[in-house]
């Protein structure tokens, strides 16, 4: 007979089973296969990426539902892939060649791009290998990369068609600019850091000599580009001054004092300088008032000639010092105040971002946004949790035209071609490079130097990966995709853009459901950041606890709408769960000596009450797990699996099965049949969460499964379906409920009065009325075995409680246990009183903290929820101690 080792070798099993599943093609999709389609595309991690807990959570939850759908017979497709991550990847390679003393300009564009491809081929697939380690059951034969030829063709097709419709245009607008990377940045590529700076109060004199107005600014160096000062039209302090002319300090230009409702009266003095070329708000105010735009900072972050001869060529920091010194020398600096503010920096290199007006390629968004909003409002796409729809709508309601061009070399080069012989003519925008200029015949056309924002190609991901723009079997079968699992931080930048581009280009929504994953925090509720030093490496915890334990923990903690608090205790608990399942399987295998392979089927009516009860509970578990995963309640699904396997199967049924297994004969056959039937079905519902240990045990026990297995391996085995009709009558269900309640009461009383764990105790049942113990014979032997009772006596309704017996009241009876001779009730009362004081002290501290307005104002929702949970736990402990006191007081 095959034996299981004492412990589960998780690493060996992970490598062995995952490779076998790949080799057998279990994850490979086929559009021609029958079954309702279930399709999902993985949010493509950056090709430079390393697996982090956000990835691990995202992929685990996708894998849970994909594995269940595959087992349910759906035609599943899960596409993996990576994003070329323009600026991030270019920066990595630039740092590599800098070690050789080179810049990308030294190499030139063609050679530099070739170096990036070399780097990608060598290091770029690392994160996908890490996702395999996590057990992701993607169709790895369909791995995609955003710069693949097929996806690049889709990008060119979309750009050209949108340009021809007038939705893509070239224009001068305000953009985020990184002087170090020398490129425009999307909002997502800009981080906002807390900074301690100053607020400089500067006097701007009126030209007519009638005094001055004081403005407050955090960036005095940009005043050289001011073209107005603005106040709020409702501000009584300045109403009479609006329309007057000011002289710009240091520059000497005359500028107007204007009124605009966008000015915040509470900021500084209520009067603000307007620099349309270097501030997003000022740019809009400038457009409304037709103000000139003077660029005083160039693309290198240095002051331009327009800043004036005294400042041209200085860095922004140097210019600030000189401007402040010059203002002070002229008596125009009124005061300087410390000021905390958010500093915009490049997310890749930490350089301070400069808002600049630049000629770039833009996409008109208003009409596209309207379609994307309508698709969610009418229910074609649904967010889970639903409140994230508000975030989605908020961005689309205030959407601006999208700057899609980047001044990089790595990425999709914009398919626009210029003829230098035809100055002033628009570019030729085409999917393929034109042979010649259609106007003059010039064959030496110059392609636009810019590349597209990474999010442009990512926005096409749900359909470009399926072969669009071709009419492929995959597009017809799997689009729209079923589900997107992603983080809340890219609802604006990715989810909304996929919605807009999917509706516009592919003619339908890109996905029917969007599940927003929670944020993973450390055990203290803090966000994981490198600066805090609390970042957890998923690969490290997978080595320590096993991949199954990590996956199960993440699923178990993934509560919709709440951040996920990860701790070693939770991971250790999941590893203990895996060990519990393993040991249960070892117990079953030790009781299979001489059993036939497979075990013979046994008619249900020949099974005992306990056997039919556990099968009934398994039906309920299957029903609830299926429903919870259907509704994206992954935490509830995991808890149902845990509750059934640990408590109902291991704690209750395995204990109940020991006596018939010892007895032999038909009763032992029935117990074996039910143990193996349960294991077959419960490993199937465990498989999406813990694929490796479930496969290992399913293979070990498979020869004995009574029903001939429907597959060679679990990934393609059928998802279990509950019995069509109840296995128990209401009376039988009540009997087993009372058996469990009585056993729990006996075990609680045993602990209360200090019985040795192995001691056999005397137990009593005292009914509350003449009918309350009807049918007790059905279950009393079970309770006797589970509660380690020498006997369970039944008292009469009017019979007095005997002395030296402690009772626990239930709704239908009192359960009593005789106390041991050495039991000292005074000591027990004293111990309970001491414990009560400790609980009361902790409860009072937590209540004070939870009710403190200052704490509630500062604490994040997860910390408050955690404290409230702890308060409820302490209240439950207090109530239990009170019950135990009452039980001891009733001792005769």
């Amino acid at each position: 007979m095959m034996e299981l080792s004492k412990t589960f070798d998780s690493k060996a099993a992970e490598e062995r089973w995952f490779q076998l599943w790949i080799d057998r093609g279990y994850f490979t999709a086929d559009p021609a296969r029958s079954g309702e389609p279930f399709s999902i595309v993985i949010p493509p991690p950056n090709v430079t990426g390393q697996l982090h807990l956000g990835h691990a959570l995202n992929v685990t939850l996708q894998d849970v539902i994909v594995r269940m759908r595959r087992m349910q017979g759906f035609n599943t497709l899960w596409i993996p892939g990576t994003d070329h991550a323009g600026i991030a990847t270019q920066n990595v390679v630039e740092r590599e060649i800098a070690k050789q003393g080179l810049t990308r300009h030294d190499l030139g564009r063609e050679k530099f791009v070739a170096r990036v491809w070399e780097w990608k081929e060598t290091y770029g697939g690392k994160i996908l290998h890490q996702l395999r380690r996590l057990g992701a059951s993607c169709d790895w034969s369909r791995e995609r990369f955003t710069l693949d030829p097929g996806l690049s063709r889709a990008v060119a097709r979309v750009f050209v068609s949108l340009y021809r419709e007038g939705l893509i245009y070239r224009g001068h607008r305000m953009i985020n600019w990184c002087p170090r990377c020398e490129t425009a940045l999307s909002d997502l590529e800009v981080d906002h850091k807390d900074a301690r700076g100053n607020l400089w109060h500067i006097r701007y004199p009126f030209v007519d000599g009638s005094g001055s107005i004081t403005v407050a600014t955090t960036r005095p160096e940009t005043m050289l580009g001011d073209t107005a000062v603005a106040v709020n039209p409702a501000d009584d302090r300045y109403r009479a001054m609006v329309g007057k002319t000011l002289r710009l300090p240091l520059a000497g230009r005359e500028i107007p004092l204007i009124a605009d409702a966008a000015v915040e009266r509470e900021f500084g003095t209520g009067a603000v300088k307007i620099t349309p070329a270097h501030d997003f708000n000022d740019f809009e105010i400038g457009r409304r008032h037709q103000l000139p735009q003077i660029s005083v900072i160039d693309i290198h972050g240095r002051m331009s000639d327009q800043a004036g001869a005294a400042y041209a060529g200085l860095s922004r920091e140097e210019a600030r010092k000189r401007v402040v010194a010059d203002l002070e020398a002229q008596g125009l600096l009124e005061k300087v105040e410390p000021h905390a503010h958010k500093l915009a920096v490049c997310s890749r290199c930490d350089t301070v971002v400069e808002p600049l007006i630049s000629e770039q390629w833009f996409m008109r968004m208003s009409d596209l946004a309207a379609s994307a909003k309508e698709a969610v409002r009418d229910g074609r796409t649904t967010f889970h949790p639903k409140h994230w729809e508000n975030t989605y709508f908020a961005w689309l309601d205030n959407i601006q035209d999208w700057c899609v061009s980047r001044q990089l070399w790595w990425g999709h080069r914009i398919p626009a071609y210029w003829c230098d012989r035809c100055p002033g003519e628009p570019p030729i925008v085409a999917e393929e490079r034109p042979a010649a200029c259609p106007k003059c015949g010039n064959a030496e056309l110059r392609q636009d130097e810019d590349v597209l924002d990474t999010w442009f190609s990512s926005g096409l991901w749900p359909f470009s990966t399926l072969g669009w723009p071709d009419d492929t079997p995959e597009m017809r079968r799997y689009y729209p995709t079923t589900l997107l699992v992603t983080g809340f931080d890219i609802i604006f930048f990715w989810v909304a853009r996929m919605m807009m581009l999917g509706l516009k280009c592919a003619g339908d929504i890109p996905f029917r459901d969007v599940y927003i994953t929670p944020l993973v925090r450390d055990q203290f509720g803090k966000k994981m950041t490198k600066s805090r030093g609390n970042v957890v490496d998923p690969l490290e915890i997978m080595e320590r606890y096993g991949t199954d334990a990590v996956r199960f923990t993440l699923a178990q903690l993934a509560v919709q709408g709440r951040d996920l608090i990860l701790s070693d205790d939770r991971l250790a608990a999941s590893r203990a769960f895996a060990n519990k399942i393993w040991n249960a399987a070892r117990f079953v295998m030790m009781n299979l000596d001489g059993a036939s392979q497979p075990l013979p089927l046994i008619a249900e009516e020949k099974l005992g009450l306990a056997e039919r009860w556990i099968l009934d509970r398994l039906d309920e578990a299957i029903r609830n797990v299926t429903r919870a995963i259907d509704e994206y309640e992954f935490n509830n699904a995991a808890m149902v699996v845990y509750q059934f396997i640990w408590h109902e199967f291991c704690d209750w049924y395995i204990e109940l099965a020991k006596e018939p297994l010892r007895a032999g004969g038909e009763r032992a056959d029935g117990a074996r049949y039910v143990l193996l039937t349960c294991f077959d079905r419960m490993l199937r519902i465990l498989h999406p969460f813990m694929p490796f240990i479930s496969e290992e045990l399913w293979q070990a026990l498979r020869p004995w499964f009574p029903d001939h297995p429907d597959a060679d391996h679990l990934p393609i085995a059928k998802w279990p379906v509950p019995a069509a009709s109840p296995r128990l009558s209401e009376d039988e269900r009540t009997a087993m409920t009372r058996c469990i309640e009585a056993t729990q009461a006996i075990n609680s009383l045993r602990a209360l009065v200090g019985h040795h764990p192995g001691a056999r105790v005397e137990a009593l049942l005292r009914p509350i009325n003449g009918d309350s113990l009807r049918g007790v014979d059905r279950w009393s032997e079970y309770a006797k075995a589970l509660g380690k009772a020498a006997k369970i006596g039944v008292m009469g309704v009017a019979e007095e409680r005997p002395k030296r017996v402690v009772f626990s009241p239930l709704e239908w009876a009192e359960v009593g246990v005789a106390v041991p001779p050495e039991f000292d009730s005074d000591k027990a009362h004293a111990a309970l009183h001491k414990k009560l004081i400790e609980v009361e002290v902790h409860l009072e501290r937590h209540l004070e903290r939870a009710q403190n307005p200052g704490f509630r104002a500062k604490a994040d929702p997860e910390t408050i929820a955690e404290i409230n949970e702890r308060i409820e736990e302490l209240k439950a402990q207090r109530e239990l101690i009170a019950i135990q006191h009452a039980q001891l007081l009733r001792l005769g």
Side-chain angles (χ1 to χ4, degrees), residues 854-875:
F855 168 75
R856 296 188 73 86
K858 293 178 182 176
D860 56 68
E862 286 68 38
T863 302
I864 292 172
E866 199 174 331
I867 287 176
N868 288 336
E869 285 175 15
R870 181 62 180 146
I871 287 170
E872 293 306 312
E873 288 172 9
L874 290 166
K875 285 180 177 178

Side-chain angles (χ1 to χ4, degrees), residues 29 34 82 92 119 131 176 196 231 234 237 248 300 337 370-372 469 479 487 496 503 530 669 790 793 875:
S34 62
T82 49
V92 167
W119 183 92
L131 295 182
N176 295 303
R196 302 295 304 177
V231 296
R237 294 173 295 177
L248 179 63
H300 307 293
E337 295 177 319
S371 300
Y479 190 86
L503 287 161
K530 290 179 181 177
D669 290 343
K875 285 180 177 178

Side-chain angles (χ1 to χ4, degrees), residues 53-73:
L53 275 171
H55 294 132
L57 171 65
N58 186 294
V59 170
T60 293
L61 299 185
Q62 289 178 78
D63 200 40
V64 166
I65 194 164
V66 168
R67 284 180 184 268
M68 184 183 83
R69 292 288 185 250
R70 188 181 291 116
M71 294 172 76
Q72 287 177 319

Side-chain angles (χ1 to χ4, degrees), residues 596-639:
S596 60
Q597 296 183 0
L599 292 176
L601 293 169
I602 297 177
E604 199 158 308
E605 59 268 20
K606 292 187 177 181
L607 297 174
L609 175 59
E611 282 66 42
R612 286 181 292 115
W613 169 79
I614 194 63
L615 292 173
D616 186 69
R617 296 307 303 151
L618 178 54
D619 279 346
E620 185 68 7
I622 293 166
R623 198 174 290 115
N624 289 335
V625 169
T626 307
R627 179 202 56 76
I629 297 177
D630 282 344
E631 296 175 5
Y632 310 122
E633 294 175 352
F634 298 101
N635 62 306
N636 290 338
M639 284 309 299

Side-chain angles (χ1 to χ4, degrees), residues 482-503:
T482 314
L483 171 67
L484 174 73
V485 178
T486 190
F488 68 90
D489 52 337
I490 52 175
I491 290 175
F492 314 139
F493 307 105
W494 191 44
V495 179
R497 284 167 178 166
M498 283 190 288
M499 287 289 288
M500 290 185 279
L501 291 168
L503 287 161

